[in-house]
Amino acid sequence: MRKHLHNIALVLLVLSIFFDLVLWGAVPELETAGPLIEQSAHNEAFLASMYIGAGGVLDGAMPSLGAFGSAVMKDGLADAFPAMIEAPNLAMDLIFGASNNGTHGWIKLLYWAPPVLLVLYAVLWLFRPKKVTLVGRRR
C-alpha cells in the first residue's frame, strides 16, 4: 500500500483541481455577486483568479458542469451576497472568512486542497519505496 500513496495523492490532487475549476469557473455566471467576486479575486487572490479563468473555459465547454458549479456556489455563498453588494472590495474576505454553512466550508476546503496536495504528492513521490535488486542481471 505504501508504494501507491503518491498515486492516491495525485488522484486526489487532480480531482480537487477539477472541482475547483468547475466551482470557481461558474462565478462570473452568478447574477449580482459574480462580477464582484471576480473583480475581487483578480485584485486579491491569484489562485482564485486562475481557477475562474481556466474554469470558465471548462464550464463553457460543458454547460452542465457550469450549472452544477453555479448551484453549489449559490448554495454556499448566498448568505454573503448582500454583504458583497454593500462592500464589493470585501468579497474574497467574506468568502474566506467564517463559514456560513456546510457547503461554504467545502468550498474553502477545496480551494486550499490543491496546493497542499501538490506538496504532499511531491513528498510522497520523493520518499516512495524503490525497487531493490540484490542480485545483478546476467550480462
Side-chain angles (χ1 to χ4, degrees):
M1 176 68 181
R2 184 170 176 247
K3 66 181 179 178
H4 298 293
L5 285 178
H6 66 283
N7 292 329
I8 294 169
L10 181 63
V11 168
L12 290 174
L13 173 65
V14 169
L15 286 175
S16 66
I17 289 173
F18 175 75
F19 279 116
D20 277 329
L21 293 178
V22 169
L23 295 180
W24 287 91
V27 163
E29 303 302 319
L30 300 175
E31 295 87 30
T32 55
L36 303 175
I37 295 171
E38 187 176 11
Q39 183 62 35
S40 181
H42 288 306
N43 292 336
E44 300 175 33
F46 176 72
L47 191 57
S49 182
M50 285 183 15
Y51 289 153
I52 290 171
V57 174
L58 179 65
D59 288 349
M62 300 182 77
S64 60
L65 291 177
F68 171 74
S70 180
V72 170
M73 291 300 268
K74 284 179 189 174
D75 184 38
L77 303 175
D79 296 339
F81 284 168
M84 286 180 197
I85 293 169
E86 288 178 20
N89 57 341
L90 297 178
M92 294 311 289
D93 294 331
L94 292 168
I95 291 172
F96 296 124
S99 292
N100 298 327
N101 54 33
T103 307
H104 186 207
W106 278 105
I107 291 170
K108 291 191 309 185
L109 177 75
L110 285 173
Y111 178 84
W112 290 111
V116 172
L117 287 171
L118 181 63
V119 171
L120 179 67
Y121 170 72
V123 168
L124 289 173
W125 186 80
L126 285 173
F127 293 109
R128 71 191 185 280
K130 312 292 191 285
K131 182 178 179 181
V132 177
T133 54
L134 295 176
V135 178
R137 292 190 290 159
R138 285 179 115 157
R139 292 184 181 186

